[in-house]
Amino acid sequence: MDTVDKTKLKVAQFRNREERIINGALELMLEHGEERVTVEQIASHVDIGKGTVYKHFRSKTEIYLRLLFDYEQALSDKLGNAIQRAKSDGDITAPARAYFEARISDPTKDLLFQRLEEKIIALNLAPEAMAELHELRNSNAQALNELIARRISEGALKNVPPYFYYSAYWALTQGAVELYHSKSFSGLVEDMDGLMSFIMDVGVHIGSVGDK
């Protein structure tokens, strides 16, 4: 094996190990909560040394950030693809459906990421990284607003400021995630999955005018 191949192999192994760390951290945080999970536990979970974890991430905050960026990027990719489909085939519901499916399909994961983001912001742990995360989120909102504005001009959606729609999507998903975990609602809802699907359907068709 020549030097170039060895370098490529080392890079691939490094990236693979980093993914294992991230996936292991996510599994543990979903099961135990982020406060109870230590770097030692993450290392043990993926069968590597604690020092090896620190070769990839200098702190738990960096692990939090990586999880947040991966989650936001996945949502961005889904939303971007849906916006392109909406532009090409006229399916105005595609972006809303992608947004709701990405967030409501796993309310436990979504709630975890909400907590991680709020924690980092509250403690001002990584302001530049959070600004970058919000810039990515805002670019998605802007692309969606432009599409909604066009559909409003065509008479397919109720004529309100375009950002009302993205804001309504956010409010519905936030409420749905909180409801999913609410102990006060747990005894009242017999079919939680069905309720989540109903909320998503409401969001997907919000503001629609006639059959357009």
Side-chain angles (χ1 to χ4, degrees), residues 45-81:
H45 189 66
V46 297
D47 196 26
I48 60 175
K50 176 182 174 182
T52 303
V53 175
Y54 284 119
K55 290 181 180 179
H56 295 265
F57 304 98
R58 290 176 295 181
S59 65
K60 275 180 63 177
T61 299
E62 287 198 356
I63 295 176
Y64 293 167
L65 287 169
R66 172 63 183 273
L67 286 168
L68 284 171
F69 270 94
D70 284 355
Y71 188 60
E72 196 67 36
Q73 187 60 60
L75 174 57
S76 177
D77 292 342
K78 290 178 181 178
L79 192 56
N81 291 335

mmCIF file of all heavy atoms in Angstrom, residues 45-81:
data_model
loop_
_atom_site.group_PDB
_atom_site.id
_atom_site.type_symbol
_atom_site.label_atom_id
_atom_site.label_comp_id
_atom_site.label_asym_id
_atom_site.label_seq_id
_atom_site.Cartn_x
_atom_site.Cartn_y
_atom_site.Cartn_z
ATOM 1 N N HIS A 45 -19.282 3.000 25.158
ATOM 2 C CA HIS A 45 -20.399 2.548 24.318
ATOM 3 C C HIS A 45 -19.934 2.168 22.915
ATOM 4 O O HIS A 45 -20.485 1.247 22.300
ATOM 5 C CB HIS A 45 -21.452 3.651 24.238
ATOM 6 C CG HIS A 45 -22.734 3.235 23.584
ATOM 7 N ND1 HIS A 45 -23.584 2.298 24.116
ATOM 8 C CD2 HIS A 45 -23.313 3.635 22.410
ATOM 9 C CE1 HIS A 45 -24.631 2.133 23.319
ATOM 10 N NE2 HIS A 45 -24.486 2.932 22.282
ATOM 11 N N VAL A 46 -18.944 2.899 22.403
ATOM 12 C CA VAL A 46 -18.452 2.613 21.045
ATOM 13 C C VAL A 46 -17.121 1.869 21.066
ATOM 14 O O VAL A 46 -16.465 1.713 20.033
ATOM 15 C CB VAL A 46 -18.330 3.908 20.206
ATOM 16 C CG1 VAL A 46 -19.692 4.544 20.021
ATOM 17 C CG2 VAL A 46 -17.380 4.903 20.863
ATOM 18 N N ASP A 47 -16.739 1.440 22.270
ATOM 19 C CA ASP A 47 -15.566 0.578 22.449
ATOM 20 C C ASP A 47 -14.265 1.236 21.983
ATOM 21 O O ASP A 47 -13.482 0.655 21.223
ATOM 22 C CB ASP A 47 -15.770 -0.751 21.715
ATOM 23 C CG ASP A 47 -14.790 -1.827 22.180
ATOM 24 O OD1 ASP A 47 -14.329 -1.732 23.332
ATOM 25 O OD2 ASP A 47 -14.484 -2.743 21.395
ATOM 26 N N ILE A 48 -14.044 2.471 22.443
ATOM 27 C CA ILE A 48 -12.771 3.153 22.192
ATOM 28 C C ILE A 48 -12.346 3.840 23.479
ATOM 29 O O ILE A 48 -13.101 3.905 24.449
ATOM 30 C CB ILE A 48 -12.881 4.213 21.064
ATOM 31 C CG1 ILE A 48 -13.919 5.292 21.433
ATOM 32 C CG2 ILE A 48 -13.219 3.570 19.727
ATOM 33 C CD1 ILE A 48 -14.002 6.416 20.435
ATOM 34 N N GLY A 49 -11.146 4.366 23.516
ATOM 35 C CA GLY A 49 -10.654 5.050 24.701
ATOM 36 C C GLY A 49 -11.199 6.470 24.805
ATOM 37 O O GLY A 49 -11.525 7.101 23.797
ATOM 38 N N LYS A 50 -11.274 6.968 26.033
ATOM 39 C CA LYS A 50 -11.741 8.335 26.260
ATOM 40 C C LYS A 50 -10.870 9.342 25.518
ATOM 41 O O LYS A 50 -11.361 10.309 24.929
ATOM 42 C CB LYS A 50 -11.741 8.631 27.759
ATOM 43 C CG LYS A 50 -12.126 10.049 28.133
ATOM 44 C CD LYS A 50 -12.049 10.243 29.645
ATOM 45 C CE LYS A 50 -12.298 11.688 30.032
ATOM 46 N NZ LYS A 50 -12.183 11.883 31.511
ATOM 47 N N GLY A 51 -9.562 9.101 25.522
ATOM 48 C CA GLY A 51 -8.650 10.009 24.835
ATOM 49 C C GLY A 51 -8.899 10.062 23.349
ATOM 50 O O GLY A 51 -8.686 11.108 22.717
ATOM 51 N N THR A 52 -9.354 8.951 22.776
ATOM 52 C CA THR A 52 -9.659 8.921 21.342
ATOM 53 C C THR A 52 -10.845 9.808 21.018
ATOM 54 O O THR A 52 -10.877 10.470 19.974
ATOM 55 C CB THR A 52 -9.945 7.476 20.888
ATOM 56 O OG1 THR A 52 -8.820 6.654 21.206
ATOM 57 C CG2 THR A 52 -10.193 7.423 19.390
ATOM 58 N N VAL A 53 -11.833 9.831 21.920
ATOM 59 C CA VAL A 53 -12.986 10.724 21.714
ATOM 60 C C VAL A 53 -12.510 12.168 21.635
ATOM 61 O O VAL A 53 -12.952 12.939 20.775
ATOM 62 C CB VAL A 53 -14.015 10.573 22.858
ATOM 63 C CG1 VAL A 53 -15.142 11.597 22.697
ATOM 64 C CG2 VAL A 53 -14.580 9.163 22.895
ATOM 65 N N TYR A 54 -11.559 12.524 22.507
ATOM 66 C CA TYR A 54 -11.065 13.904 22.541
ATOM 67 C C TYR A 54 -10.214 14.256 21.322
ATOM 68 O O TYR A 54 -9.950 15.434 21.073
ATOM 69 C CB TYR A 54 -10.284 14.151 23.826
ATOM 70 C CG TYR A 54 -11.166 14.314 25.043
ATOM 71 C CD1 TYR A 54 -11.070 13.445 26.124
ATOM 72 C CD2 TYR A 54 -12.105 15.343 25.103
ATOM 73 C CE1 TYR A 54 -11.885 13.594 27.245
ATOM 74 C CE2 TYR A 54 -12.923 15.503 26.209
ATOM 75 C CZ TYR A 54 -12.816 14.629 27.273
ATOM 76 O OH TYR A 54 -13.624 14.788 28.372
ATOM 77 N N LYS A 55 -9.787 13.262 20.570
ATOM 78 C CA LYS A 55 -9.102 13.545 19.310
ATOM 79 C C LYS A 55 -10.084 14.094 18.274
ATOM 80 O O LYS A 55 -9.684 14.762 17.319
ATOM 81 C CB LYS A 55 -8.428 12.287 18.778
ATOM 82 C CG LYS A 55 -7.219 11.819 19.583
ATOM 83 C CD LYS A 55 -6.606 10.574 18.973
ATOM 84 C CE LYS A 55 -5.396 10.108 19.772
ATOM 85 N NZ LYS A 55 -4.796 8.865 19.198
ATOM 86 N N HIS A 56 -11.348 13.765 18.466
ATOM 87 C CA HIS A 56 -12.395 14.197 17.535
ATOM 88 C C HIS A 56 -13.168 15.407 18.067
ATOM 89 O O HIS A 56 -13.511 16.314 17.306
ATOM 90 C CB HIS A 56 -13.372 13.051 17.283
ATOM 91 C CG HIS A 56 -12.776 11.879 16.574
ATOM 92 N ND1 HIS A 56 -12.855 11.733 15.206
ATOM 93 C CD2 HIS A 56 -12.087 10.806 17.041
ATOM 94 C CE1 HIS A 56 -12.238 10.608 14.863
ATOM 95 N NE2 HIS A 56 -11.771 10.025 15.948
ATOM 96 N N PHE A 57 -13.450 15.392 19.363
ATOM 97 C CA PHE A 57 -14.256 16.450 19.969
ATOM 98 C C PHE A 57 -13.611 16.877 21.281
ATOM 99 O O PHE A 57 -13.373 16.050 22.161
ATOM 100 C CB PHE A 57 -15.686 15.955 20.224
ATOM 101 C CG PHE A 57 -16.377 15.426 19.000
ATOM 102 C CD1 PHE A 57 -16.418 14.058 18.758
ATOM 103 C CD2 PHE A 57 -16.961 16.291 18.090
ATOM 104 C CE1 PHE A 57 -17.042 13.559 17.630
ATOM 105 C CE2 PHE A 57 -17.584 15.802 16.956
ATOM 106 C CZ PHE A 57 -17.628 14.434 16.719
ATOM 107 N N ARG A 58 -13.369 18.160 21.428
ATOM 108 C CA ARG A 58 -12.668 18.652 22.611
ATOM 109 C C ARG A 58 -13.543 18.668 23.854
ATOM 110 O O ARG A 58 -13.029 18.738 24.967
ATOM 111 C CB ARG A 58 -12.129 20.059 22.346
ATOM 112 C CG ARG A 58 -10.975 20.116 21.354
ATOM 113 C CD ARG A 58 -10.556 21.534 21.049
ATOM 114 N NE ARG A 58 -11.610 22.273 20.356
ATOM 115 C CZ ARG A 58 -11.508 23.532 19.956
ATOM 116 N NH1 ARG A 58 -10.395 24.211 20.221
ATOM 117 N NH2 ARG A 58 -12.501 24.113 19.314
ATOM 118 N N SER A 59 -14.856 18.605 23.674
ATOM 119 C CA SER A 59 -15.769 18.673 24.810
ATOM 120 C C SER A 59 -17.134 18.118 24.417
ATOM 121 O O SER A 59 -17.402 17.868 23.235
ATOM 122 C CB SER A 59 -15.931 20.130 25.267
ATOM 123 O OG SER A 59 -16.558 20.888 24.230
ATOM 124 N N LYS A 60 -17.998 17.950 25.413
ATOM 125 C CA LYS A 60 -19.367 17.526 25.126
ATOM 126 C C LYS A 60 -20.091 18.592 24.306
ATOM 127 O O LYS A 60 -20.947 18.264 23.480
ATOM 128 C CB LYS A 60 -20.125 17.269 26.424
ATOM 129 C CG LYS A 60 -19.920 15.876 27.006
ATOM 130 C CD LYS A 60 -20.680 15.679 28.292
ATOM 131 C CE LYS A 60 -22.179 15.784 28.101
ATOM 132 N NZ LYS A 60 -22.914 15.525 29.359
ATOM 133 N N THR A 61 -19.727 19.840 24.516
ATOM 134 C CA THR A 61 -20.362 20.918 23.743
ATOM 135 C C THR A 61 -20.121 20.719 22.252
ATOM 136 O O THR A 61 -21.026 20.924 21.435
ATOM 137 C CB THR A 61 -19.826 22.294 24.177
ATOM 138 O OG1 THR A 61 -20.131 22.512 25.550
ATOM 139 C CG2 THR A 61 -20.453 23.399 23.340
ATOM 140 N N GLU A 62 -18.917 20.318 21.877
ATOM 141 C CA GLU A 62 -18.628 20.073 20.460
ATOM 142 C C GLU A 62 -19.447 18.893 19.927
ATOM 143 O O GLU A 62 -19.849 18.897 18.767
ATOM 144 C CB GLU A 62 -17.137 19.834 20.253
ATOM 145 C CG GLU A 62 -16.296 21.090 20.384
ATOM 146 C CD GLU A 62 -14.919 20.947 19.757
ATOM 147 O OE1 GLU A 62 -14.577 19.833 19.287
ATOM 148 O OE2 GLU A 62 -14.192 21.948 19.720
ATOM 149 N N ILE A 63 -19.686 17.907 20.768
ATOM 150 C CA ILE A 63 -20.549 16.792 20.362
ATOM 151 C C ILE A 63 -21.979 17.290 20.179
ATOM 152 O O ILE A 63 -22.639 16.949 19.198
ATOM 153 C CB ILE A 63 -20.500 15.659 21.405
ATOM 154 C CG1 ILE A 63 -19.097 15.046 21.455
ATOM 155 C CG2 ILE A 63 -21.535 14.584 21.083
ATOM 156 C CD1 ILE A 63 -18.912 13.979 22.517
ATOM 157 N N TYR A 64 -22.435 18.129 21.111
ATOM 158 C CA TYR A 64 -23.767 18.731 20.968
ATOM 159 C C TYR A 64 -23.890 19.473 19.636
ATOM 160 O O TYR A 64 -24.878 19.322 18.905
ATOM 161 C CB TYR A 64 -24.042 19.727 22.099
ATOM 162 C CG TYR A 64 -24.171 19.167 23.491
ATOM 163 C CD1 TYR A 64 -24.144 20.016 24.597
ATOM 164 C CD2 TYR A 64 -24.324 17.800 23.722
ATOM 165 C CE1 TYR A 64 -24.266 19.531 25.888
ATOM 166 C CE2 TYR A 64 -24.441 17.300 25.013
ATOM 167 C CZ TYR A 64 -24.408 18.173 26.091
ATOM 168 O OH TYR A 64 -24.530 17.693 27.362
ATOM 169 N N LEU A 65 -22.886 20.282 19.348
ATOM 170 C CA LEU A 65 -22.918 21.088 18.127
ATOM 171 C C LEU A 65 -22.959 20.214 16.886
ATOM 172 O O LEU A 65 -23.701 20.497 15.941
ATOM 173 C CB LEU A 65 -21.708 22.020 18.077
ATOM 174 C CG LEU A 65 -21.745 23.220 19.033
ATOM 175 C CD1 LEU A 65 -20.386 23.895 19.083
ATOM 176 C CD2 LEU A 65 -22.815 24.216 18.600
ATOM 177 N N ARG A 66 -22.153 19.166 16.879
ATOM 178 C CA ARG A 66 -22.145 18.268 15.715
ATOM 179 C C ARG A 66 -23.519 17.623 15.524
ATOM 180 O O ARG A 66 -24.028 17.528 14.396
ATOM 181 C CB ARG A 66 -21.071 17.202 15.907
ATOM 182 C CG ARG A 66 -21.088 16.099 14.859
ATOM 183 C CD ARG A 66 -20.805 16.596 13.439
ATOM 184 N NE ARG A 66 -20.923 15.472 12.525
ATOM 185 C CZ ARG A 66 -19.912 14.640 12.254
ATOM 186 N NH1 ARG A 66 -18.717 14.816 12.825
ATOM 187 N NH2 ARG A 66 -20.091 13.640 11.431
ATOM 188 N N LEU A 67 -24.144 17.211 16.622
ATOM 189 C CA LEU A 67 -25.479 16.622 16.535
ATOM 190 C C LEU A 67 -26.481 17.637 15.983
ATOM 191 O O LEU A 67 -27.299 17.307 15.119
ATOM 192 C CB LEU A 67 -25.932 16.145 17.921
ATOM 193 C CG LEU A 67 -25.262 14.873 18.454
ATOM 194 C CD1 LEU A 67 -25.575 14.688 19.938
ATOM 195 C CD2 LEU A 67 -25.709 13.650 17.658
ATOM 196 N N LEU A 68 -26.403 18.864 16.468
ATOM 197 C CA LEU A 68 -27.323 19.911 16.011
ATOM 198 C C LEU A 68 -27.133 20.218 14.531
ATOM 199 O O LEU A 68 -28.106 20.344 13.786
ATOM 200 C CB LEU A 68 -27.123 21.182 16.833
ATOM 201 C CG LEU A 68 -27.702 21.181 18.247
ATOM 202 C CD1 LEU A 68 -27.245 22.415 19.016
ATOM 203 C CD2 LEU A 68 -29.225 21.131 18.192
ATOM 204 N N PHE A 69 -25.882 20.340 14.103
ATOM 205 C CA PHE A 69 -25.614 20.659 12.704
ATOM 206 C C PHE A 69 -26.038 19.510 11.789
ATOM 207 O O PHE A 69 -26.595 19.745 10.707
ATOM 208 C CB PHE A 69 -24.138 20.994 12.495
ATOM 209 C CG PHE A 69 -23.819 22.446 12.670
ATOM 210 C CD1 PHE A 69 -23.373 22.934 13.892
ATOM 211 C CD2 PHE A 69 -23.980 23.341 11.619
ATOM 212 C CE1 PHE A 69 -23.089 24.278 14.065
ATOM 213 C CE2 PHE A 69 -23.694 24.686 11.774
ATOM 214 C CZ PHE A 69 -23.242 25.162 12.996
ATOM 215 N N ASP A 70 -25.787 18.284 12.213
ATOM 216 C CA ASP A 70 -26.206 17.140 11.398
ATOM 217 C C ASP A 70 -27.725 17.112 11.249
ATOM 218 O O ASP A 70 -28.248 16.855 10.164
ATOM 219 C CB ASP A 70 -25.727 15.828 12.028
ATOM 220 C CG ASP A 70 -24.238 15.593 11.816
ATOM 221 O OD1 ASP A 70 -23.596 16.394 11.111
ATOM 222 O OD2 ASP A 70 -23.722 14.597 12.362
ATOM 223 N N TYR A 71 -28.413 17.385 12.346
ATOM 224 C CA TYR A 71 -29.883 17.374 12.336
ATOM 225 C C TYR A 71 -30.419 18.497 11.454
ATOM 226 O O TYR A 71 -31.314 18.281 10.629
ATOM 227 C CB TYR A 71 -30.398 17.527 13.763
ATOM 228 C CG TYR A 71 -31.896 17.348 13.916
ATOM 229 C CD1 TYR A 71 -32.520 16.160 13.560
ATOM 230 C CD2 TYR A 71 -32.684 18.371 14.446
ATOM 231 C CE1 TYR A 71 -33.880 15.991 13.720
ATOM 232 C CE2 TYR A 71 -34.045 18.212 14.612
ATOM 233 C CZ TYR A 71 -34.647 17.015 14.252
ATOM 234 O OH TYR A 71 -36.001 16.856 14.406
ATOM 235 N N GLU A 72 -29.859 19.686 11.618
ATOM 236 C CA GLU A 72 -30.325 20.840 10.844
ATOM 237 C C GLU A 72 -29.994 20.672 9.359
ATOM 238 O O GLU A 72 -30.780 21.054 8.490
ATOM 239 C CB GLU A 72 -29.693 22.118 11.381
ATOM 240 C CG GLU A 72 -30.388 23.392 10.913
ATOM 241 C CD GLU A 72 -31.788 23.539 11.469
ATOM 242 O OE1 GLU A 72 -32.024 23.156 12.625
ATOM 243 O OE2 GLU A 72 -32.673 24.036 10.726
ATOM 244 N N GLN A 73 -28.827 20.093 9.060
ATOM 245 C CA GLN A 73 -28.451 19.886 7.668
ATOM 246 C C GLN A 73 -29.354 18.858 7.009
ATOM 247 O O GLN A 73 -29.730 19.007 5.832
ATOM 248 C CB GLN A 73 -26.989 19.424 7.578
ATOM 249 C CG GLN A 73 -26.457 19.356 6.151
ATOM 250 C CD GLN A 73 -26.496 20.699 5.451
ATOM 251 O OE1 GLN A 73 -25.873 21.655 5.919
ATOM 252 N NE2 GLN A 73 -27.208 20.800 4.333
ATOM 253 N N ALA A 74 -29.708 17.805 7.755
ATOM 254 C CA ALA A 74 -30.622 16.794 7.208
ATOM 255 C C ALA A 74 -31.983 17.411 6.906
ATOM 256 O O ALA A 74 -32.582 17.147 5.854
ATOM 257 C CB ALA A 74 -30.776 15.632 8.192
ATOM 258 N N LEU A 75 -32.461 18.267 7.819
ATOM 259 C CA LEU A 75 -33.725 18.961 7.590
ATOM 260 C C LEU A 75 -33.607 19.900 6.398
ATOM 261 O O LEU A 75 -34.514 19.980 5.556
ATOM 262 C CB LEU A 75 -34.124 19.748 8.837
ATOM 263 C CG LEU A 75 -35.356 20.659 8.728
ATOM 264 C CD1 LEU A 75 -36.581 19.861 8.307
ATOM 265 C CD2 LEU A 75 -35.605 21.379 10.048
ATOM 266 N N SER A 76 -32.465 20.597 6.296
ATOM 267 C CA SER A 76 -32.232 21.522 5.189
ATOM 268 C C SER A 76 -32.255 20.791 3.851
ATOM 269 O O SER A 76 -32.852 21.266 2.876
ATOM 270 C CB SER A 76 -30.896 22.230 5.375
ATOM 271 O OG SER A 76 -30.606 23.077 4.278
ATOM 272 N N ASP A 77 -31.602 19.630 3.805
ATOM 273 C CA ASP A 77 -31.559 18.847 2.561
ATOM 274 C C ASP A 77 -32.959 18.386 2.160
ATOM 275 O O ASP A 77 -33.347 18.471 0.981
ATOM 276 C CB ASP A 77 -30.641 17.642 2.725
ATOM 277 C CG ASP A 77 -29.176 18.036 2.870
ATOM 278 O OD1 ASP A 77 -28.833 19.176 2.506
ATOM 279 O OD2 ASP A 77 -28.389 17.196 3.354
ATOM 280 N N LYS A 78 -33.724 17.895 3.125
ATOM 281 C CA LYS A 78 -35.084 17.430 2.837
ATOM 282 C C LYS A 78 -35.968 18.582 2.374
ATOM 283 O O LYS A 78 -36.738 18.450 1.414
ATOM 284 C CB LYS A 78 -35.690 16.776 4.079
ATOM 285 C CG LYS A 78 -35.062 15.448 4.455
ATOM 286 C CD LYS A 78 -35.674 14.887 5.724
ATOM 287 C CE LYS A 78 -35.020 13.568 6.109
ATOM 288 N NZ LYS A 78 -35.566 13.027 7.380
ATOM 289 N N LEU A 79 -35.844 19.709 3.063
ATOM 290 C CA LEU A 79 -36.661 20.870 2.712
ATOM 291 C C LEU A 79 -36.258 21.417 1.349
ATOM 292 O O LEU A 79 -37.108 21.783 0.528
ATOM 293 C CB LEU A 79 -36.511 21.946 3.787
ATOM 294 C CG LEU A 79 -37.503 23.112 3.756
ATOM 295 C CD1 LEU A 79 -38.933 22.602 3.820
ATOM 296 C CD2 LEU A 79 -37.226 24.061 4.921
ATOM 297 N N GLY A 80 -34.945 21.466 1.084
ATOM 298 C CA GLY A 80 -34.470 21.959 -0.212
ATOM 299 C C GLY A 80 -34.953 21.096 -1.362
ATOM 300 O O GLY A 80 -35.389 21.615 -2.402
ATOM 301 N N ASN A 81 -34.875 19.791 -1.200
ATOM 302 C CA ASN A 81 -35.360 18.875 -2.245
ATOM 303 C C ASN A 81 -36.857 19.037 -2.460
ATOM 304 O O ASN A 81 -37.347 18.997 -3.601
ATOM 305 C CB ASN A 81 -35.043 17.427 -1.864
ATOM 306 C CG ASN A 81 -33.563 17.115 -1.915
ATOM 307 O OD1 ASN A 81 -32.809 17.768 -2.630
ATOM 308 N ND2 ASN A 81 -33.128 16.136 -1.143
#
